[in-house]
């Protein structure tokens, strides 16, 4: 089955404004295996985007930030366009990008602190951490 023949992908792409002709390696493998993941992904994304806890604008900005984090340019464009339909401006788009960068930096920083603390407490060298660190 090709991607364009997969109803789940076609509907998902149409909802997000992505050309149905778009493809990539991972998507092709999921479609070829008729993976349940595709249906689950579409359902989960729809649930998050339709959440009563977030405005549409907030949901699209959150999805945009996830796409930025994943470095997925197709989804970045799709969610930015959807956010802009909800009156999101360029400053808010830039803030979502900045928040993603800050969160990634924090994740690295706190992992570094945890490893350093573990080394100090245990006397373990950095090259031994791959073997014993609870973070691996």
């Amino acid at each position: 089955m090709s991607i364009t023949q997969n109803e789940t992908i076609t509907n998902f792409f149409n909802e997000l404004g992505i050309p149905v002709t778009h493809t990539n390696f991972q998507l092709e493998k999921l479609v070829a295996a008729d993976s349940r993941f595709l249906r689950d992904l579409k359902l989960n994304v729809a649930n998050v985007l339709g959440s009563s806890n977030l405005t549409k604008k907030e949901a699209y900005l959150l999805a945009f930030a996830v796409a930025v984090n994943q470095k997925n340019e197709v989804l970045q464009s799709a969610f930015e366009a959807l956010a802009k339909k909800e009156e999101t401006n360029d400053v808010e788009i830039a803030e979502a990008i900045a928040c993603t960068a800050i969160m990634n930096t924090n994740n690295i920083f706190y992992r570094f602190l945890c490893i350093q603390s573990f080394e100090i407490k245990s006397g373990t060298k950095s090259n031994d951490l791959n073997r014993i660190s609870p973070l691996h």
Side-chain angles (χ1 to χ4, degrees):
M1 172 184 294
S2 73
I3 289 176
T4 56
Q5 293 172 324
N6 184 290
E7 184 178 351
T8 301
I9 294 297
T10 301
N11 290 340
F12 191 49
F13 281 4
N14 284 330
E15 290 170 14
L16 298 179
I18 297 171
V20 293
T21 56
H22 171 72
T23 188
N24 64 37
F25 177 78
Q26 295 90 347
L27 197 52
E28 288 177 15
K29 293 297 180 186
L30 291 168
V31 168
D34 194 26
S35 175
R36 284 190 49 212
F37 171 77
L38 295 173
R39 291 180 290 281
D40 292 345
L41 177 65
K42 182 183 181 300
L43 179 64
N44 289 332
V45 170
N47 285 340
V48 170
L49 294 178
S51 170
S52 61
N53 297 318
L54 300 171
T55 66
K56 282 199 176 291
K57 180 178 177 177
E58 291 168 337
Y60 292 145
L61 281 170
L62 176 61
F64 172 74
V66 170
V68 168
N69 185 60
Q70 294 300 312
K71 297 172 182 59
N72 187 313
E73 293 179 10
V74 171
L75 290 177
Q76 287 175 43
S77 295
F79 287 119
E80 181 177 0
L82 290 168
K84 287 199 172 192
K85 286 181 182 177
E86 298 298 321
E87 300 182 12
T88 300
N89 60 45
D90 289 338
V91 171
E92 292 166 315
I93 294 292
E95 287 175 354
I97 293 168
C99 286
T100 302
I102 290 168
M103 290 303 297
N104 285 334
T105 302
N106 281 340
N107 287 338
I108 293 166
F109 176 69
Y110 286 113
R111 181 176 171 122
F112 172 79
L113 288 180
C114 180
I115 289 170
Q116 291 302 307
S117 174
F118 185 79
E119 284 181 353
I120 291 167
K121 289 178 184 175
S122 68
T124 305
K125 297 177 185 173
S126 293
N127 59 354
D128 293 335
L129 287 177
N130 287 335
R131 192 169 38 87
I132 62 173
S133 174
L135 298 173
H136 284 90

